[in-house]
Amino acid sequence: PALLAGFEEQTPAVRSAVLDALLADPARAGHVLEAVAAGDLAVAELGPTRIDALTKHPDAAVRAAAAKLFAPPADRQKVLA
C-alpha cells in the first residue's frame, strides 16, 4: 500500500501511526503481513503488542497468516515442550 512507501524514512511516531491505520482494516493488515514476509518491513516495527493483536485478529485469514508468520521455530517448540 501507498502508506508503506518511504516507511523507513519516517519518524517513529509516524511509523506507529501508519501501522495503526493499516492494521485497523483486515485487508490492509494482510498487506502488512505480506510486507513482513517479504522482508520489506521488520518484525520489530510491529512490536509484541501488534503481533499479539494480529494472532488474535477477528478476521480468520489475518489470524492464520499471522500465526504462520510469527510461529516460533520448530526447534524452539521442542525446547519449550
Side-chain angles (χ1 to χ4, degrees), residues 45-74:
E45 290 286 354
L46 296 176
T49 303
R50 287 189 184 105
I51 290 171
D52 186 56
L54 285 165
T55 60
K56 296 175 182 173
H57 200 277
D59 183 277
V62 171
R63 191 171 54 246
K68 181 179 177 183
L69 186 60
F70 302 122

Side-chain angles (χ1 to χ4, degrees), residues 6-78:
F7 183 82
E8 61 281 344
E9 298 166 7
Q10 302 300 325
T11 65
V14 170
R15 289 195 306 262
S16 182
V18 166
L19 286 173
D20 288 342
L22 290 171
L23 296 176
D25 174 47
R28 294 189 297 176
H31 290 301
V32 171
L33 293 172
E34 290 169 7
V36 171
D40 297 332
L41 180 65
V43 174
E45 290 286 354
L46 296 176
T49 303
R50 287 189 184 105
I51 290 171
D52 186 56
L54 285 165
T55 60
K56 296 175 182 173
H57 200 277
D59 183 277
V62 171
R63 191 171 54 246
K68 181 179 177 183
L69 186 60
F70 302 122
D75 291 344
R76 180 157 169 76
Q77 293 279 356
K78 290 177 186 176

